Amino acid sequence: GSRSRGVKAAGPDRPVGAMLSDEATLLTDLPDCVLGRILAALDGASLSRAGGTCRGLASIDSSQAWERLCEQAGAPNSGAAPAERYRKHAATLCRECRRPTPYVFAPLRVRLCERCERSNPHKFALATRAMLLGDARFRLLLGRRPIDSLLANVPSHRCNGFIFYVRPVAAAAAQSGLEVEAAKEGEEEEAEGVLPRLLLFALQVIGMDDPLAGPCLSLDELDLLRASLEARLRSLPSSEAADAAEAAQFSREGYCAAYRAGQRRVLRAALAEVAVLEGSADGEAEGEGED
């Protein structure tokens, strides 16, 4: 029959195909039988969002779709409506493996089984403030910034007198802060007329003295610098992919791999800076020749 949202139903004089080809422009313009099939193909999260989109979709009978989801997920039959049964069951599932678990990962307040927590240290490893400060890589990312202001925004959980922080979140926050700080310093140094910070880092990597006299280097000096950077880049023992495959994140090999990856990034960025400086030097030389 007709629906409250004013959409004409399909009938002998108005086949579904004609509605789809001639008039249907919105999802809610489709007849109930078509919408029911669409809803039946959705997962639980999508079905919930669809029902909350508008009154038209909320009015569609989706009980069969919810019943199918309950059967697939193994939700117990408690006598409640299928949608409510599925939501209660979904709230008990592990965030990673989607299996029921009684455990909650307290810092993030999500369901997480012990197996997934242990097998995903890159997501869920925990560390105290002292453990973070004892990590050389974290101290390098932290720089001169106070650690307490950074940890104030990191998910944590207090247990037995200790505060445990989600280590990957803390590392990501430190990395983000370092990048912002480096960008600000780079803008200040550019205004002061000194070489870019990445280029100065690269000079330290290859063992050359920092050029403190100013931003101007001759073409011969730039050629020497570029050759030195390329030689150092070639000397690194393996690729980023090999480092990542061979080393666990928090092992000694992992720290060495991260250090090599950082050197590669610095050297490549420095080569790009050298190319810019070479272009500027060429332009100045041509201008002097014309004069």
Side-chain angles (χ1 to χ4, degrees):
S2 61
R3 289 176 290 178
S4 59
R5 57 178 181 272
V7 178
K8 295 180 180 179
D13 299 327
R14 184 178 173 78
V16 172
M19 294 180 64
L20 297 179
S21 61
D22 296 337
E23 298 181 17
T25 57
L26 299 174
L27 185 63
T28 51
D29 290 330
L30 299 174
D32 286 348
C33 59
V34 176
L35 283 174
R37 295 195 177 202
I38 293 174
L39 296 179
L42 300 179
D43 58 33
S46 300
L47 188 57
S48 294
R49 286 193 290 267
T53 301
C54 64
R55 293 180 180 178
L57 290 178
S59 67
I60 302 298
D61 182 11
S62 58
S63 58
Q64 291 185 353
W66 285 114
E67 190 65 47
R68 175 185 59 82
L69 291 173
C70 288
E71 292 177 1
Q72 292 177 349
N77 191 353
S78 60
E84 184 64 22
R85 284 168 48 207
Y86 180 82
R87 293 190 182 102
K88 287 184 177 180
H89 178 71
T92 68
L93 302 181
C94 170
R95 172 176 174 170
E96 295 295 312
C97 66
R98 306 306 296 170
R99 294 190 179 98
T101 178
Y103 299 105
V104 174
F105 187 65
L108 297 179
R109 296 176 177 83
V110 296
R111 290 274 178 163
L112 187 69
C113 67
E114 291 181 297
R115 179 179 179 181
C116 288
E117 179 181 352
R118 292 171 181 169
S119 60
N120 291 280
H122 61 290
K123 294 181 180 180
F124 307 115
L126 298 176
T128 63
R129 183 180 185 277
M131 292 168 65
L132 290 170
L133 288 175
D135 183 341
R137 184 168 179 266
F138 180 82
R139 290 201 309 273
L140 179 63
L141 293 174
L142 184 64
R144 297 186 299 271
R145 290 167 294 143
I147 186 174
D148 293 326
S149 61
L150 181 143
L151 293 180
N153 299 314
V154 175
S156 62
H157 178 65
R158 184 182 292 274
C159 181
N160 296 329
F162 295 94
I163 300 178
F164 292 90
Y165 299 92
V166 183
R167 189 171 197 157
V169 177
Q175 174 73 40
S176 177
L178 179 65
E179 292 172 354
V180 171
E181 188 178 74
K184 290 181 180 178
E185 291 180 357
E187 293 174 359
E188 295 172 357
E189 291 169 352
E190 184 175 351
E192 295 170 359
V194 299
L195 287 176
R197 174 168 287 270
L198 281 174
L199 186 51
L200 295 179
F201 283 167
L203 293 174
Q204 296 172 2
V205 168
I206 64 177
M208 294 180 65
D209 293 333
D210 293 350
L212 301 178
C216 297
L217 295 174
S218 68
L219 285 173
D220 290 339
E221 290 172 324
L222 288 173
D223 286 339
L224 175 61
L225 176 56
R226 178 167 42 78
S228 300
L229 291 171
E230 290 174 345
R232 176 61 178 169
L233 189 58
R234 288 193 300 269
S235 71
L236 292 175
S238 61
S239 66
E240 291 95 334
D243 283 342
E246 295 172 1
Q249 184 178 13
F250 298 116
S251 65
R252 181 178 181 279
E253 293 78 8
Y255 294 135
C256 293
Y259 179 71
R260 286 194 296 270
Q263 284 192 330
R264 293 187 194 96
R265 287 194 296 270
V266 168
L267 291 170
R268 288 167 183 159
L271 284 169
E273 295 285 358
V274 168
V276 173
L277 292 175
E278 286 178 329
S280 300
D282 286 335
E284 293 176 0
E286 291 176 2
E288 293 176 358
E290 293 175 359
D291 294 340

